[in-house]
């Protein structure tokens, strides 16, 4: 199976320019291709995983991918898919974001393969030194206003308003394709479905800039589909927060749990998109869902593969350990680091390292509403300390109840967790 057939079997192709020409181009050449990542935050999120895995798929097929960080275009902001103008960040902030994302990309794709390593580039290298005169004469003259107005990223914003700054973004991204074509013989650009207009504009700029030269221009564009969830909610967010690839912003445990909670209707599609499992393995997972959905085998495999890819084998094992501890109630086996991950969002009560009566602690930490309620909770067996039920009204918490002298985990009822943190 060639690369395009594999991508099509996974549902990863939304649009291509000249499908037959692209297939022939990929079969006959070691092709250089690129995908851009604008630094709009200090980390990529899971929405970026599809284009990143696309670069890896092309690399495995023998081609030469470039991950282009938009240190220059990030100063402007892409209007594609947006209903309002972006807030412009300072050059210092954009540079900081770009540096972090470039480091992150280096950890997620193979930069060290001898034959065809993924290159990491920054378009500030050529856009940052370009003058307005250069921009207008070398690029602007090739773009008709009617051509630009016809692009969806622009036309969708005309009524609500679009500034010249965002209007010109298309030309800047087109310059990226031209520069990489000139410097690296890059002939293919890939991106999300919202990038179709920018990609085709880049192809047009390359052709027009070569009109007076004796050169056959062969350039192509390919987009991946917009990722949607079966329930209609936005992919990549949970409780209103993005799922980041940076472990400090979204812990490996939270990341793992996001994939574990994938809907049965979505899990096979996401496995095709985000993993490198074979067609046969994915078919077996499909059978598991049909016959034994309660075992959630497909969700576990998806979570394993993506967590291992983005974080590490060690981070995956840690996430699985936390999940198992919460499921079994055996919380004493957890380390401080694992508790910080697994109980990141639970209510936390700060106190000193001293012996404390359980009833007083339940009231002071607002776990129970009153001493009377605390007594009822304890007597009814609703209170657990580090996973173990406690029913003694005169129970006193000592250092033996402090995990690594740092935390005590209190559970009230079936699912309400509280964290006691010691100074």
């Amino acid at each position: 199976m060639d690369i395009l057939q594999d991508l099509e079997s996974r549902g990863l192709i939304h649009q291509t320019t000249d499908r037959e020409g692209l297939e022939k181009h990929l079969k006959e050449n070691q092709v250089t291709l690129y995908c851009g990542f604008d630094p709009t935050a200090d980390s990529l999120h899971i929405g970026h995983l599809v284009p990143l895995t696309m670069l890896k798929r092309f690399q495995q097929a023998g081609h030469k991918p470039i991950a282009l960080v938009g240190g220059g275009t990030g100063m402007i902001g892409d209007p594609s898919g947006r209903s309002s103008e972006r807030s412009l960040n300072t050059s210092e902030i954009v540079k900081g974001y770009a540096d972090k994302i470039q480091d992150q990309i280096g950890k997620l794709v193979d930069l060290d393969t001898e034959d065809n390593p993924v290159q990491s580039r920054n378009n500030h290298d050529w856009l940052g030194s370009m003058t307005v005169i250069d921009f207008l004469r070398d690029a602007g003259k090739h773009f008709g206003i009617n051509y630009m107005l016809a692009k969806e990223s622009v036309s969708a914003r005309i009524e609500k308003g679009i500034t010249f700054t965002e209007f010109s973004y298309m030309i800047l991204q087109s310059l990226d394709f031209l520069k990489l074509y000139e410097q690296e013989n890059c002939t293919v650009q890939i991106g999300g479905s919202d990038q179709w207009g920018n990609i085709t504009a880049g192809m047009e700029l390359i052709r027009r800039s070569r009109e007076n030269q004796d050169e056959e221009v062969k350039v192509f564009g390919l987009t991946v589909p917009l990722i949607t969830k079966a329930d209609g909610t936005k992919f990549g967010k949970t409780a209103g927060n993005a799922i980041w690839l940076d472990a400090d912003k979204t812990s490996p445990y939270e990341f793992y749990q996001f994939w574990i909670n994938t809907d049965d209707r979505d899990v096979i599609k996401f496995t095709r998109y985000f993993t490198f499992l074979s067609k046969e393995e994915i078919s077996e997972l499909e059978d598991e869902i049909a016959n034994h959905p309660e075992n959630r085998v497909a969700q576990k495999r998806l979570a394993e593969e993506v967590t291992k890819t983005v974080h590490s084998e060690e981070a995956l094992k840690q996430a699985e350990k936390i999940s198992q501890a919460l499921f079994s109630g055996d919380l004493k086996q957890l380390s401080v680091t694992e508790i910080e991950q697994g109980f990141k969002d639970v209510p936390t009560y700060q106190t000193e390292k001293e012996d404390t009566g359980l009833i007083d602690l339940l009231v002071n930490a607002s776990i129970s509403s009153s001493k009377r309620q605390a007594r009822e909770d304890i007597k009814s067996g609703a209170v657990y300390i580090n996973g173990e039920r406690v029913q003694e009204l005169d129970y006193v918490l000592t250092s033996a109840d402090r995990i690594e002298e740092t935390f005590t985990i209190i559970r009230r009822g079936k699912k309400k967790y509280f964290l006691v943190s010691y100074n």
Side-chain angles (χ1 to χ4, degrees):
M1 186 183 297
D2 68 26
I3 179 65
L4 288 188
Q5 289 175 339
D6 179 50
L7 295 177
E8 283 176 334
S9 73
R10 292 175 179 274
L12 281 170
I13 296 181
H14 180 63
Q15 295 162 298
T16 62
T17 61
D18 186 6
R19 170 68 173 77
E20 290 183 8
L22 176 58
E23 183 173 21
K24 185 172 184 289
H25 185 58
L26 290 167
K27 283 183 177 179
E28 294 178 354
N29 305 280
Q30 185 183 42
V31 170
T32 299
L33 67 148
Y34 93 95
C35 182
F37 303 88
D38 269 357
T40 55
D42 61 355
S43 171
L44 300 174
H45 53 74
I46 60 172
H48 294 108
L49 274 180
V50 168
L52 280 169
T53 56
M54 287 283 283
L55 293 180
K56 293 175 75 171
R57 292 185 202 283
F58 275 97
Q59 182 185 38
Q60 289 182 357
H63 301 293
K64 299 168 68 174
I66 298 172
L68 182 68
V69 177
T73 44
M75 294 290 295
I76 302 302
D78 186 356
S80 302
R82 292 183 62 87
S83 59
S84 61
E85 187 95 0
R86 292 179 186 271
S87 298
L88 296 180
N89 290 315
T90 65
S91 57
E92 291 78 12
I93 288 175
V94 174
K95 185 181 184 307
Y97 287 174
D99 289 344
K100 287 186 177 180
I101 288 174
Q102 207 152 11
D103 289 342
Q104 199 169 51
I105 288 173
K107 296 173 184 175
L108 294 169
V109 297
D110 190 353
L111 303 178
D112 300 319
T113 300
E114 188 173 333
D115 293 333
N116 61 331
V118 176
Q119 291 188 64
S120 180
R121 299 288 300 274
N122 188 324
N123 65 15
H124 193 273
D125 293 345
W126 50 84
L127 296 179
S129 58
M130 178 172 282
T131 68
V132 174
I133 300 297
D134 292 338
F135 173 74
L136 294 174
R137 286 179 61 88
D138 298 342
K141 69 177 180 180
H142 294 298
F143 288 87
I145 293 297
N146 290 339
Y147 174 83
M148 295 179 71
L149 289 173
K151 296 294 184 180
E152 186 179 353
S153 60
V154 174
S155 63
R157 289 277 298 280
I158 290 297
E159 289 186 15
K160 293 186 177 181
I162 183 171
T163 65
F164 177 77
T165 300
E166 285 199 343
F167 182 68
S168 65
Y169 181 92
M170 180 193 308
I171 304 178
L172 292 178
Q173 185 167 319
S174 298
L175 276 163
D176 290 343
F177 203 171
L178 174 62
K179 291 296 181 182
L180 292 175
Y181 176 80
E182 293 173 340
Q183 296 176 9
E184 306 288 347
N185 191 29
C186 177
T187 53
V188 179
Q189 182 182 170
I190 64 174
S193 57
D194 61 342
Q195 294 300 306
W196 182 250
N198 292 329
I199 291 171
T200 53
M203 294 169 57
E204 188 69 11
L205 176 59
I206 294 171
R207 292 193 184 102
R208 292 194 176 194
S209 65
R210 290 295 184 274
E211 279 179 342
N212 299 322
Q213 299 183 31
D214 185 19
E215 176 183 340
E216 183 183 8
V217 176
K218 289 186 178 180
V219 287
F220 304 87
L222 183 155
T223 64
V224 296
L226 176 70
I227 305 173
T228 56
K229 292 172 70 174
D231 62 6
T233 58
K234 189 170 182 178
F235 171 79
K237 290 183 179 272
T238 178
N241 297 313
I243 305 299
W244 301 97
L245 304 189
D246 185 332
D248 292 332
K249 294 170 77 73
T250 298
S251 71
Y253 167 72
E254 293 172 300
F255 188 83
Y256 177 82
Q257 284 297 313
F258 172 82
W259 299 103
I260 281 287
N261 292 322
T262 301
D263 192 304
D264 283 349
R265 296 169 294 175
D266 290 323
V267 67
I268 294 301
K269 177 173 72 173
F270 291 173
T271 303
R272 291 193 183 104
Y273 283 4
F274 296 105
T275 77
F276 291 83
L277 297 183
S278 67
K279 185 179 179 180
E280 292 72 27
E281 290 175 288
I282 294 173
S283 181
E284 289 175 8
L285 294 175
E286 209 163 5
D287 291 340
E288 278 288 341
I289 292 173
N291 299 317
H292 306 287
E294 70 282 0
N295 294 337
R296 300 185 71 78
V297 172
Q299 282 87 346
K300 290 175 186 175
R301 189 64 194 281
L302 172 63
E304 288 169 6
E305 290 295 317
V306 185
T307 305
K308 185 168 55 178
T309 297
V310 171
H311 294 293
S312 67
E313 182 79 43
E314 183 181 352
L316 167 62
K317 290 178 180 177
Q318 193 175 60
E320 290 174 328
K321 180 182 175 183
I322 297 168
S323 300
Q324 180 58 35
L326 287 169
F327 178 78
S328 67
D330 184 11
L331 303 177
K332 286 186 176 180
Q333 63 173 300
L334 297 177
S335 67
V336 166
T337 301
E338 290 161 350
I339 291 171
E340 288 171 338
Q341 281 196 55
F343 296 89
K344 181 179 178 181
D345 296 319
V346 306
T348 301
Y349 172 66
Q350 199 84 24
T351 188
E352 301 298 324
K353 292 179 184 177
E354 55 187 30
D355 294 355
T356 308
L358 179 56
I359 291 175
D360 289 336
L361 177 65
L362 293 177
V363 175
N364 293 337
S366 300
I367 298 171
S368 299
S369 58
S370 65
K371 288 191 175 183
R372 177 182 175 183
Q373 184 63 53
R375 292 189 189 95
E376 289 182 9
D377 290 338
I378 294 169
K379 283 194 292 186
S380 66
V383 175
Y384 294 77
I385 298 176
N386 297 330
E388 296 181 1
R389 178 179 283 160
V390 175
Q391 291 184 277
E392 296 87 9
L393 293 175
D394 58 353
Y395 190 89
V396 175
L397 285 91
T398 67
S399 60
D401 298 300
R402 297 195 284 269
I403 298 173
E404 295 182 28
E405 287 294 305
T406 305
F407 294 119
T408 298
I409 302 167
I410 308 288
R411 192 181 99 206
R412 178 174 174 261
K414 290 185 177 180
K415 293 184 177 180
K416 291 184 179 179
Y417 282 97
F418 302 83
L419 199 60
V420 180
S421 177
Y422 298 96
N423 297 321

